Amino acid sequence: AGTGGGESGADLLSFINGGFTEFVAPEGTKTLREYLISKVTSLKRADLRNVETGIGAYCFQNCSSLEDVLMPNAALTIGGRVFLNCTAIKRFEYLGAAMLYSGGPSVFEGCTALEEAYLPNLKLSGNTQSFKNCASLRKVTISGTRCGQNMFNGCTVLDKIIIKNSNEIIYHIHSLFCVIIKILTRLIVKVFIR
């Protein structure tokens, strides 16, 4: 069974400097290791439905043509900045039971085309900046777990946050309030500078 970290066929992909457009995790893949498919700018589609336990940090960073990511329904541990600067992803859906960030924040940092993230069972650990600089992000659905106060830093067009099963709604409102204050401050500064 492939593990992404041992002697699996998937492990060999980390040595390929581009040229392929699709990655399919082999059946039985436990974890995709850190930086496995990093900087493969030709990659357009990643089928991760066979991944059983996790995706390492920076696994798909700078895969600037990646548009389509198929996630498993399994509970995964996902490292920081997995999709850093994947500037072609427009919609991301993950229905798994949990999504725990380890190794760092900002899983979707710099995904500038991301418009919608549907993560109804999302669970966070720590102060994450999960959607930092996702400038096109308009709608997010997450569960009612604790979020970092900079979770939506740089999300200037965000207009809808749906929080499922929330027992910490006050914290989320505080986080959103911080984002609103930052945006208003920028607008006021722009008006007075002109």
Side-chain angles (χ1 to χ4, degrees), residues 90-161:
K90 289 188 177 181
R91 186 175 193 283
F92 190 88
E93 180 176 301
Y94 174 62
L95 303 175
M99 182 184 252
L100 305 173
Y101 303 152
S102 63
S106 307
V107 171
F108 299 102
E109 180 179 346
C111 292
T112 54
L114 184 64
E115 296 174 359
E116 181 178 358
Y118 185 72
L119 312 158
N121 302 308
L122 176 70
K123 292 184 179 161
L124 304 173
S125 63
N127 182 19
T128 69
Q129 297 178 13
S130 306
F131 300 100
K132 182 178 180 184
N133 297 325
C134 292
S136 299
L137 188 62
R138 293 192 168 278
K139 181 179 178 184
V140 176
T141 302
I142 55 176
S143 74
T145 57
R146 189 173 183 118
C147 301
Q149 73 180 44
N150 292 315
M151 186 173 189
F152 301 107
N153 190 18
C155 298
T156 55
V157 297
L158 182 62
D159 59 9
K160 191 168 193 176
I161 301 173

Side-chain angles (χ1 to χ4, degrees), residues 10-23 35-46 58-67 82 84-88:
D11 198 34
L12 298 175
L13 291 175
S14 62
F15 300 106
I16 299 173
N17 190 15
F20 63 98
T21 60
E22 183 174 13
F23 168 76
Y35 298 98
L36 181 65
I37 307 174
S38 169
K39 301 177 185 175
V40 179
T41 57
S42 60
L43 184 68
K44 291 184 178 288
R45 184 173 187 265
Y58 301 96
C59 190
F60 293 95
Q61 77 158 342
N62 296 322
C63 290
S64 56
S65 298
L66 182 60
E67 299 172 349
V82 169
L84 175 67
N85 297 327
C86 289
T87 55

Side-chain angles (χ1 to χ4, degrees), residues 154-169:
C155 298
T156 55
V157 297
L158 182 62
D159 59 9
K160 191 168 193 176
I161 301 173
I162 299 169
I163 303 171
K164 302 278 189 179
N165 307 318
S166 182
N167 58 0
E168 296 184 29
I169 191 75

